[in-house]
Amino acid sequence: MTTLQRIQPEKGCFFPPFKVDFTRSIPIHRQLYDWYQAAVADGRLRPGQRVPSTRSLAAELGVSRAPVLAAFEQLLAEGYFEAIIGAGTRISDTIPEMPAAPVADRSRSRPAKAGARSGSKFAAGLTAGNGPWWNNEGIFRANLPALDHFPARTWASLLSRHASRTTNSMMAYGDVMGHLPLREAIARYLGAARAVCCKASQIMIVSGSQHGLQITARALLDAGDQVWMEEPGYPGAHAAFAMAGARMAPVPVDQAGMKIEHGVAHFPEARLAYVTPSHHYPLGTGMSAARRMQLLSWAARRGAWIVEDDYDSEYRFGAHPMPALQGLDTDERVIYLGTFSKVMFPGIRLGYIIIPEDLIPSFRAVREATDIFAPPLAQAALADFIAEGHFSRHLRKMRTLYMRRRAALAEAMHRRVGDSFRIIGIDAGMHLTGFLPEQADDVHIANRAGAMGVSAIPLSTCYLAESSPGLILGYGNASETQIERGTALLAGVIEAAGGSR
Amino acid sequence: MTTLQRIQPEKGCFFPPFKVDFTRSIPIHRQLYDWYQAAVADGRLRPGQRVPSTRSLAAELGVSRAPVLAAFEQLLAEGYFEAIIGAGTRISDTIPEMPAAPVADRSRSRPAKAGARSGSKFAAGLTAGNGPWWNNEGIFRANLPALDHFPARTWASLLSRHASRTTNSMMAYGDVMGHLPLREAIARYLGAARAVCCKASQIMIVSGSQHGLQITARALLDAGDQVWMEEPGYPGAHAAFAMAGARMAPVPVDQAGMKIEHGVAHFPEARLAYVTPSHHYPLGTGMSAARRMQLLSWAARRGAWIVEDDYDSEYRFGAHPMPALQGLDTDERVIYLGTFSKVMFPGIRLGYIIIPEDLIPSFRAVREATDIFAPPLAQAALADFIAEGHFSRHLRKMRTLYMRRRAALAEAMHRRVGDSFRIIGIDAGMHLTGFLPEQADDVHIANRAGAMGVSAIPLSTCYLAESSPGLILGYGNASETQIERGTALLAGVIEAAGGSR
């Protein structure tokens, strides 16, 4: 290096207002790199501007030349700096002028026009479920099973059986349809318990019923397609079908289930019907044989699909469970959804779709674009849990427990609130739904209850059109003590709101 | 019961052609119920048709009356039968006439018009990834890390630490954004290793980068919105943006990354740019500082979004890793995606999105409609794995291993195939990409290689428009023996296809 070169580059450049922080664990070269990079990015240093020589900068900073060289090397390699032969180093000329904006003050640098910062219109149209009734800790939180009755030790030991295996099947990319032993166990179980008629090859493992709904909606519907939705119905299904751009057609539900004739008369163009025939969500009614036949007959005539969400049919008290619609379907029009959130626990994140054989390619393609496959470890443990009999034993115990809890909750609500909580639905499942008097504001009541630690879902949130007030109370995870305390609190809130007897 | 009632109902009804199967474990009442239900469903029994009395049917079947009573009770309760006072029992009149179709022969009952049985047009337009190059067992399977070098015992013990806890946080409905300790560990790690600037509250845990892409696309785009895609680019991103109905605009990539000026000139209306700036997929190049600044400046001017997919940036050999674009972004225009598929293993199914604060509600709403939340167990174990130092130790070891494997693969391909495999990209990541001669058919070559147990992705599958032939070879899970064998097989296939030197 000649004297000229050592001196000249310092002209027209400046020493950065940068101090090495010797107390930080970040190496000096990295601190320097970060400073230059940020200064270029936020416009404090301009394209073409000279930078000091490594020698003079090292002297200025009071460090050895090595870290300065390392930082400059990286800045050159990545194109922040460029070396001009015989004239030192400068900020790359190819970097566009950036508007100067101090990094520390990001909020001020946002453009004034708010519209420019919004997500999709589509996302803005989705209603996020953020009421206090989703609080897991609240009494009567819907959809929660009796967590403290789950055989967690057995489960943990089945998990560890598979967790330490570094096999392709546990660690690599899994089958889009799911872990085969689990699909075989599910096919056997559903054939016996739900009269569902399927082969393991028709089962796709998903992360719970919401995931199953989302994939099903994308696989079957194009934007603008009309869908019959039970009214009232499951809000998660509204969201999933909205994601696919479907037009929702609310079809009223009575004691016998969805009023098929209403759907045929008012929404004849529908491509799909979403139903919960074994145990309607949220009303808790069962779909009658006549309605089932009407629905199957309509789907076959119209060439439409039926999505049967059998979310909690395993629990039916005092009667034989109603077999699945899927098993009655001679035209392969039914897509059957199940979940382990209620019979195992929600955190397991496993459910399944049973797909008519000729639709499997559509479902596979959507799944690959969505999240590819479900985690193999939980699937392998669950396959063992079913095959080794733990599952049916657990179901049997829970059936007795939930039957008792349901009776206790119904009795306590009747005793404390009387006719102001008109219980509907069959003796089944994990939730009890009741109508409140016509004038009651169920959202207000649920918010008040939420503040006291009671998670009651307002029935009105389950309607697409005109709603009736009511409350959905989950008893799966409610002990008898909690049932007493929760109903006492609820009775107080309902009375204060003017909705009591 | 009078004599009349016992005799009259038998007129106009018939005994079902049903035989009790005493060898089956299914109870008699269930066998009888199933038969009647199926017969009604498939039209063999008509509405209004009489059924025999329980007494005479029991006698006919040679069983006690109890199971027949049980079956009839359920059939009455569910509405298949109705009781006519003084006139016995009949098939419900409310059941619609069903076309008779034997249940056993489902395939024949399908409607002749094939169109009526298709899934969505949308799903039909997705290309499913089903080449032999997705075979996990094949040598050079892309995206697979060194599975046999993963500390599986440590991982199993961290899992069991959390698996036996029956807590709400492990078993109930989890946070839509993810398990907080994991999000905090990721924020700390990314700040130090990737110069990513974020709070734990901006991190959403997802099931890998495909899932992150799908959610991001839905949260930011409406149908018809234009998106800059790197050309060539990641096919999984094509699928995810197609799911949101986006119009794909291919923007060419050269040695310095995406040609921003091309995008500005040809696709000025784009709402979003998808980029892999640290290590381009599939070409393996890094995006220069100038292009980074151009991209950030365009996004700020245009009010557009940048999706930065930092899928394997942890592995950079012989140079400091290139810091993330996200850390340079003063206008919060970058959505940053990461995955644990490559630094842990694909079966873990965990990744993350770093979301600008004001977009979090849009992302939350989409996530709730998609699959609600990620499994807490793996998240808790991963948080510990990072916090206890196993993660950085594993990364360090793998960096050395992959550097060696990359060098060995590059050397072997050069030695065996020479200029017919023109290696591109920087010294980084887990895959090596090379161009084949212009006239080569890379899909044919990959199919032939696949038949021999070599998983090489044809580069042409990564283009939206006009493509160049090449191969993408993953070396993450390839031992040196496999590298020798795999390259020998590949060289033979390339030569046989007329693409060798």
Side-chain angles (χ1 to χ4, degrees), chain B residues 247-291:
Chain B
R247 279 182 302 140
M248 241 73 72
V251 180
V253 168
D254 65 13
Q255 288 292 345
M258 183 185 256
K259 294 165 89 166
I260 309 302
E261 282 168 15
H262 182 100
V264 172
H266 293 83
F267 310 109
E269 285 169 27
R271 291 272 305 140
L272 186 148
Y274 168 80
V275 287
T276 52
S278 303
H279 188 222
H280 179 262
Y281 189 91
L283 298 185
T285 52
M287 186 183 270
S288 74
R291 294 277 172 83

Side-chain angles (χ1 to χ4, degrees), chain B residues 275-482:
Chain B
V275 287
T276 52
S278 303
H279 188 222
H280 179 262
Y281 189 91
L283 298 185
T285 52
M287 186 183 270
S288 74
R291 294 277 172 83
R292 285 168 188 247
M293 298 304 143
Q294 285 173 8
L295 181 58
L296 289 170
S297 157
W298 167 76
R301 268 191 337 263
R302 163 91 186 115
W305 305 112
I306 299 167
V307 175
E308 174 177 28
D309 187 350
D310 214 24
Y311 65 103
D312 76 350
S313 57
E314 283 86 353
Y315 300 127
R316 179 85 189 265
F317 317 127
H320 297 294
M322 224 161 175
L325 193 61
Q326 196 267 8
L328 290 177
D329 169 24
T330 55
D331 197 39
E332 299 191 60
R333 290 280 157 199
V334 174
I335 293 87
Y336 178 94
L337 300 183
T339 178
F340 288 99
S341 293
K342 283 143 202 89
V343 287
M344 295 287 285
F345 54 94
I348 195 173
R349 298 280 77 211
L350 289 175
Y352 45 88
I353 315 175
I354 298 176
I355 309 166
E357 277 186 291
D358 53 355
L359 293 178
I360 293 173
S362 293
F363 278 77
R364 286 187 69 104
V366 169
R367 184 62 185 280
E368 283 185 14
T370 301
D371 70 338
I372 319 182
F373 70 108
L377 177 62
Q379 294 185 68
L382 182 54
D384 288 357
F385 193 83
I386 298 175
E388 294 174 15
H390 306 296
F391 184 63
S392 55
R393 191 156 44 242
H394 181 57
L395 275 187
R396 264 198 314 278
K397 283 189 191 162
M398 292 307 99
R399 196 173 284 127
T400 314
L401 181 71
Y402 296 155
M403 182 163 65
R404 223 166 46 223
R405 288 183 170 180
R406 181 181 179 92
L409 175 58
E411 184 280 319
M413 283 303 283
H414 183 72
R415 168 163 39 89
R416 293 187 196 275
V417 191
D419 292 343
S420 294
F421 187 75
R422 194 160 50 79
I423 294 170
I424 39 181
I426 54 175
D427 238 19
M430 284 164 46
H431 71 266
L432 186 77
T433 300
F435 285 117
L436 292 168
E438 277 304 316
Q439 77 285 2
D441 178 349
D442 58 1
V443 173
H444 171 76
I445 289 171
N447 275 320
R448 293 293 307 273
M452 295 177 178
V454 174
S455 294
I457 300 178
L459 180 60
S460 61
T461 59
C462 299
Y463 287 82
L464 289 166
E466 220 174 309
S467 70
S468 295
L471 295 174
I472 304 166
L473 307 178
Y475 48 80
N477 200 29
S479 68
E480 298 201 10
T481 321
Q482 287 175 312

